[in-house]
Amino acid sequence: MTSVMDASQVAAHNSKLLAQLEADYAALAGVLARRGQDIEALTAQARHFAVAVPSWGVGTGGTRFARFPGRGEPRNVFEKLDDCAVIHQLTRATPTVSLHFPWDRPEDAAELRETAAARGLGFDAVNSNTFQDQAGQQHSYKFGSLTAGRLEVREQAVQHNLDCIALGQALGSKALTVWVGDGANFPGQHNLRGALERYLDSMRQIYAGLPDDWSLFIEHKLFEPAFYATTIADWGTSFACATALGSKARCLVDLGHHAPNTNIEMIVARLAQFGKLGGFHFNDSKYGDDDLDSGSINPFQLFLVFNELADAALREPGLRPAYMLDQSHNVTDPIESLMSSAAEVQRAYVQAALVDRTALAAHQQDNDAHQAAQTLKQAFRTDVSPILAMARLRSGGAIDPVACYRASGYRDRVAAQRPARTGASSSGIV
Ligand code: LRH
Ligand code: MN
């Protein structure tokens, strides 16, 4: 496997931090042992945790107002893979990449698959895109895609999704995520039921094109780009559609796709209970679909999501939702944000494993609300950073990924290799 960053730089970085880490690790081991918990078991669990990186996340993101490109922007899917490889080399928690088509459509899928494998990377769910028009596209998606009133538009959108499945198969992916921005901006603009009937008709054709071992993830979103009615606006509609389509169809929860203060962990519990929890797009937000770094605004919510996943896993040990990041890095180095975000999701996973579920169940049974809440808070308040760092170290990563990355000069190196985009700032998320 070719490392994008010089492994000796990582070793040199770790050697400086090792003694401190071992001291912090031993101290935490003591705290956990007093609670009857084995730090080694938790570190082993942390080492098995993995979250996929979005290919579109390693470039600088933007908003509808502007996008201000950073230095050394990746110009194609191969340079995106290089950056994704750095993230995995240092965190050891991001072995797969989620691609978006046509943004990442390769000339030669086999070459892309080999290049990724050579960098220790594989491919998670692929994403279709019928929320933009591509150059030379016959029919516009301005008035919808899978729900469009005109049959030829729907057929084009269905065919695009079938092409994504074929490409994903060639790349070794096992799932297709379908998010459509379809909806209306004005009451009366379209028939609400008719739009969903057309969506289901289109999705049945896509579902029929799924290989037996594939999954189809339906991603709901409350609003944007539609600002009055979004066809797949909430988990209920997504759940109804996934149920109508069949066992290979499940629901994907993007944390930023809900109204402020929505109890997202309860949505997770519901979807898990009914066997339709397919996966996640992790990010954080304060207002809308802000696509901010995971755990950067509301880390307690992220913990509560993993607390529900840990509870669900007790009931269905085979539960394996797809974990993916979906973020837009407008003002930070995307590599740093993705490394920190992967660690924050891993942190919530480990903190959820710290919850004393026997004590919690007893407090719930006794209606001791205070102690029940404190049982969760104790796990959330536990600083598991030494476990995350030790997991990285033992898996060949960096004790402090961002510090190691900055010391490596990788961004300077790629900035020299990849000419900066000049001219007026464009707009849009990528
Ligand atoms: C829509 C979304 C979807 C992606 C896109 C990049 O807001 O979350 O998952 O296709 O962002
Ligand atoms: Mn998403």
Side-chain angles (χ1 to χ4, degrees), residues 219 254 257 281 326:
E219 183 177 1
D254 184 312
H257 287 188
H281 278 177
D326 178 3

Side-chain angles (χ1 to χ4, degrees), residues 56 100 103 127-128 131 177 179 219 221 224 254 257 281 289 291 326 429:
W56 60 94
H100 220 299
W103 296 337
N127 299 266
S128 59
F131 52 84
T177 297
W179 169 70
E219 183 177 1
K221 181 174 179 179
E224 187 204 42
D254 184 312
H257 287 188
H281 278 177
D289 187 20
D291 281 337
D326 178 3
I429 60 168

